[in-house]
Amino acid sequence: MNYANIKKYDIADGPGVRVSLFVSGCRHHCKGCFNYEAWDFEYGRPYTAETEAEILEALKPGYIAGLTLLGGEPFEPENQVELVTLLRKVRETYPEKSIWSYTGYVYDKDLVPGGRAYTDVTDEMLSYLDVLVDGPFVEELKDITLQFRGSSNQRIIKMDKKGT
């Protein structure tokens, strides 16, 4: 897996100050995407054990509210394999911090058994999330007044009580 960027002080992609990992690779190709460079699975840098250690260290300060995964597309099957390990370590190391993920896939359609992005690690990956923002960005439904979403079709789904 490659990644496009790590933001260590992100305030736009979830509540509080967060560490955000922008992964590479996305098949949605949404019109008007803010991060179209990351559609390419080869874009950016290789995700390594050092990258994982850097993210875990960046999450350490008490003022960091949690981790957010964006892209590209975190739920592309190729990316799930790496990200499930990161999420497991984040949850074990920082159980008090929230974990958010954005996806262009639809939770109850694409991330369920038989869904187009469902893999043998999807359920585990979802189990670590506090919030999932799902649905493709639709330029015609763009609404800059929406908090933590780009278009009105996208949903903020609280996966458990720690989503805020």
Side-chain angles (χ1 to χ4, degrees):
M1 180 180 86
N2 280 8
Y3 70 98
N5 193 15
I6 298 170
K7 289 187 180 178
K8 295 182 180 174
Y9 309 101
D10 188 358
I11 59 169
D13 298 307
V17 181
R18 312 184 66 74
V19 174
S20 293
L21 172 63
F22 292 77
V23 300
S24 295
C26 182
R27 293 182 176 93
H28 303 300
H29 297 191
C30 300
K31 179 182 166 190
C33 176
F34 79 98
N35 201 16
Y36 64 88
E37 299 90 350
W39 293 352
D40 182 352
F41 283 85
E42 300 303 315
Y43 181 76
R45 293 165 282 219
Y47 181 88
T48 64
E50 291 77 17
T51 310
E52 182 178 274
E54 178 183 352
I55 292 167
L56 291 170
E57 183 64 25
L59 287 164
K60 192 180 267 186
Y63 61 84
I64 298 293
L67 173 70
T68 299
L69 301 177
L70 309 97
E73 172 58 68
F75 280 91
E76 290 295 3
E78 302 89 326
N79 292 339
Q80 290 184 46
V81 175
E82 290 289 341
L83 292 174
V84 73
T85 302
L86 171 64
L87 295 181
R88 185 181 310 123
K89 289 180 181 177
V90 170
R91 184 57 73 215
E92 289 169 358
T93 308
Y94 304 109
E96 74 286 0
K97 299 195 187 250
S98 67
I99 302 174
W100 281 49
S101 183
Y102 285 77
T103 183
Y105 290 109
V106 176
Y107 171 58
D108 46 0
K109 178 182 172 194
D110 300 317
L111 301 179
V112 295
R116 63 186 179 135
Y118 188 81
T119 73
D120 60 345
V121 298
T122 303
D123 289 335
E124 182 182 0
M125 192 167 156
L126 289 168
S127 77
Y128 298 126
L129 299 182
D130 297 297
V131 172
L132 179 69
V133 181
D134 83 335
F137 172 74
V138 177
E139 190 170 50
E140 295 76 20
L141 300 176
K142 181 178 180 177
D143 183 346
I144 62 170
T145 68
L146 296 172
Q147 188 175 36
F148 308 131
R149 297 179 290 157
S151 58
S152 61
N153 63 298
Q154 295 173 313
R155 302 181 295 175
I156 297 175
I157 303 168
K158 291 187 178 187
M159 306 297 280
D160 76 13
K161 65 184 177 299
K162 287 185 0 185
T164 57

